[in-house]
Amino acid sequence: MAMEGNGASVSDGASKTKIPHVLTVAGSDSGAGAGIQADIKACAARGVYCSTVITAVTAQNTVGVQGVNIVPEDFVAEQLKSVLSDMQVDVVKTGMLPSIGIVKILHESLREFPVRALVVDPVMVSTSGDVLAGPSILSSFREELLPMADIITPNIKEASALLGGMPLETVADMRSAAKALHAIGPRNVLVKGGDLPDSLDAIDIFFDGKDCHELRSSRIKTRNTHGTGCTLASCIAAELAKGSSMLSAVKVAKHYVETVLEYSKDIFIGNGRQGPFDHLLRLKNGIHNSHRQGTFNPSNLFLYAVTDSQMNKKWGRPMVDAIEAAIEGGATIVQLREKDAETREFLEMAKACVGICRSYGVPLLINDRVDVALACDADGVHVGQSDMPARIARTLLGPEKIIGVSCKTPEQAQQAWIDGADYIGCGGVYPTNTKANNPTLGLDGLKAVCLASKLPVVAIGGINASNAGSVMETGVSNLKGVAVVSALFDRESVLAETRNLHAILMEAASQVK
Ligand SMILES: Nc1ncnc2c1ncn2[C@@H]1O[C@H](COP(=O)(O)OP(=O)(O)OP(=O)(O)O)[C@@H](O)[C@H]1O
Ligand SMILES: Cc1ncc(CO)c(N)n1
Ligand SMILES: [Mg+2]
């Protein structure tokens, strides 16, 4: 029975804050790794409101899909109307659409209530091999849904099915498929290569009708990949709802998936072949076993990029571009270190950098300046032994912000823990030009500092592609990564250098394990 609306409307003239809003039209996954549940968590992690129209309820776990119950078409229509007629949806994202009738209803609803963008994840078969939408759906996808879509995100099998069984085995095949799918009508196509056999990287192909981009990230070795496709599409929708361009939404989403897989690679849920991951980046090393209710994850120290405005000036690149390139290349945290700018100029720059880092989910720390960190709402500060003491910085910044301290000696390392710091920056490990009169500790000095503290440590000072491997291979358990300045920013291509260093660190980390 249909219920009447309650007739009440809120329009009291009070100031209203619009929050970006994604509506997901998808199936429920009882195991909560994929489907509606993944969509809600991905949107929440990206700071976007998510409403839900449920098309089917599945009984599903890490072993497979045990049952599917399709929601009656009329009731899908009713849910769509309830949300779209009232709730200021920016972007609609679709997942499991299990019948031709449901596709038709969605098509009609979107004509009646247009939205800014439509993201279509043409879900057909789960990775466990279970059918979520049968082949009879293909023609209605092609005729009704694809031409309306701003982007479609098929995996290899789905791209092949939509193209009548065209075989897809190589990156070149993925490129041809992206172009052929574009001809069916969607504005943009992303063919996902998560299931591409024998590929070292996770490669996706993006085609916008003009240019074809090959998007690569490192392939995380983990069983916890159930729901990557739903998460990727929801994150694209979330970034579009915030106002991103399509290419940047796709890049941010891909980077987010890589980051959550890395964070969640060792978590254990379920006994089947493919487990879920933790969208909110908390389980591994996270708040559950931290001494403080903070949000710092020590894995963020893996590739720590420290900026230098002189170097960026020398190479003629704006700070935000340099930072974006470093993040794209694999930097896991950024420290803004500014020695020349006046406070106001520094603050403006810091705000822009917070914006870019936040869009990628990478923390930004401010060197030295607690006031600037507070004013731009950065994720924290890094202080030296002659800067604001960490204990006072903690009082000023509160329990949530990240605080790092530079330490050269075991005594300083012990003090950093007592003062409530989150990590230690230890160096200079090797000689460097970026800091005058800085004594060199060598790998032995680094080890001594690591062993003196429970805190995670990042090594700094003269580290580059040729010696980063030996630093990581010291194998002390709380040494979590390396911090670099010149090796990334005093170079022609920040992206290429960061990527290279990231690969070296991954290799070294796998040796240690
Ligand atoms: N092991 C991995 N490491 C890094 N990225 C990955 C990995 N596996 C998948 N991805 C990325 O995750 C995204 C989803 O890709 P995939 O091809 O697995 O989609 P899907 O099969 O639709 O996902 P689902 O498992 O939810 O059905 C892509 O950007 C892909 O490159
Ligand atoms: C409900 C649902 N939607 C999508 C997928 C694809 O991962 C799944 N396994 N379950
Ligand atoms: Mg997959």
Side-chain angles (χ1 to χ4, degrees), residues 291 307 414 476:
H291 63 286
T307 67
Q414 280 154 6
V476 195

Side-chain angles (χ1 to χ4, degrees), residues 209-471:
K210 243 177 77 217
D211 300 313
C212 212
H213 300 258
E214 192 172 306
L215 307 176
R216 281 175 182 263
S217 64
S218 49
R219 179 179 288 280
I220 313 296
K221 289 197 187 73
T222 176
R223 75 182 260 278
N224 298 326
T225 57
H226 176 64
T228 44
C230 307
T231 301
L232 184 83
S234 290
C235 186
I236 293 172
E239 294 306 308
L240 292 176
K242 291 186 219 167
S244 279
S245 71
M246 188 59 82
L247 180 58
S248 119
V250 170
K251 284 185 177 175
V252 165
K254 183 155 175 61
H255 190 266
Y256 170 73
V257 169
E258 184 190 8
T259 307
V260 285
L261 291 182
E262 169 66 28
Y263 272 75
S264 313
K265 65 182 178 203
D266 298 324
I267 68 175
F268 181 77
I269 299 177
N271 293 300
R273 276 212 353 263
Q274 206 197 19
F277 48 88
D278 179 38
H279 290 79
L280 301 170
L281 305 171
R282 279 175 323 190
L283 293 183
K284 191 182 163 218
N285 301 324
I287 57 172
H288 303 300
N289 47 22
S290 139
H291 63 286
R292 193 166 51 73
Q293 284 291 300
T295 49
F296 182 60
N297 188 321
S299 329
N300 280 132
L301 299 176
F302 189 61
L303 205 182
Y304 186 132
V306 183
T307 67
D308 185 297
S309 47
Q310 299 281 357
M311 289 175 197
N312 287 323
K313 260 186 215 128
K314 173 175 149 196
W315 290 94
R317 36 183 180 237
M319 183 65 83
V320 284
D321 292 1
I323 289 179
E324 183 163 25
I327 295 174
E328 287 274 338
T332 51
I333 192 165
V334 176
Q335 182 197 127
L336 194 60
R337 183 169 179 268
E338 179 53 63
K339 297 288 171 191
D340 309 319
E342 302 280 359
T343 297
R344 197 161 300 186
E345 189 194 339
F346 186 17
L347 178 57
E348 285 314 309
M349 191 201 299
K351 279 189 196 157
C353 296
V354 167
I356 189 84
C357 287
R358 205 145 282 166
S359 74
Y360 281 91
V362 167
L364 179 83
L365 308 182
I366 305 290
N367 182 57
D368 193 358
R369 294 285 299 267
V370 176
D371 57 339
V372 173
L374 279 168
C376 71
D377 192 26
D379 298 283
V381 293
H382 183 88
V383 291
Q385 291 292 329
S386 47
D387 298 333
M388 178 85 68
R391 182 174 37 84
I392 300 178
R394 174 61 69 210
T395 315
L396 293 171
L397 291 168
E400 297 289 324
K401 297 282 185 196
I402 302 166
I403 298 179
V405 185
S406 297
C407 297
K408 289 187 175 302
T409 65
E411 294 71 32
Q412 290 172 351
Q414 280 154 6
Q415 190 60 42
W417 162 266
I418 295 166
D419 286 348
D422 291 287
Y423 75 89
I424 287 167
C426 178
V429 176
Y430 298 112
T432 162
N433 300 325
T434 34
K435 235 179 168 173
N437 309 321
N438 195 28
T440 300
L441 302 179
L443 293 179
D444 290 338
L446 171 64
K447 262 189 211 164
V449 166
C450 289
L451 294 174
S453 181
K454 296 176 213 166
L455 289 175
V457 177
V458 60
I460 188 163
I463 297 174
N464 54 44
S466 63
N467 57 23
S470 12
V471 174

Side-chain angles (χ1 to χ4, degrees), residues 84-156:
L84 288 169
S85 67
D86 176 45
M87 296 184 75
Q88 295 88 30
V89 172
D90 294 301
V91 177
V92 168
K93 178 250 152 187
T94 67
M96 179 175 175
L97 299 173
S99 73
I100 295 174
I102 289 178
V103 175
K104 215 170 227 91
I105 279 162
L106 176 68
H107 183 91
E108 282 160 16
S109 301
L110 288 173
R111 289 185 140 213
E112 189 179 353
F113 303 105
V115 292
R116 282 210 335 255
L118 173 64
V119 176
V120 171
D121 183 18
V123 171
M124 284 175 223
V125 184
S126 74
T127 313
S128 52
D130 299 281
V131 174
L132 299 168
S136 61
I137 205 83
L138 284 169
S139 59
S140 73
F141 270 10
R142 278 193 291 255
E143 281 151 31
E144 299 197 69
L145 205 55
L146 267 48
M148 281 189 119
D150 291 279
I151 181 166
I152 61 168
T153 63
N155 63 20
I156 289 192

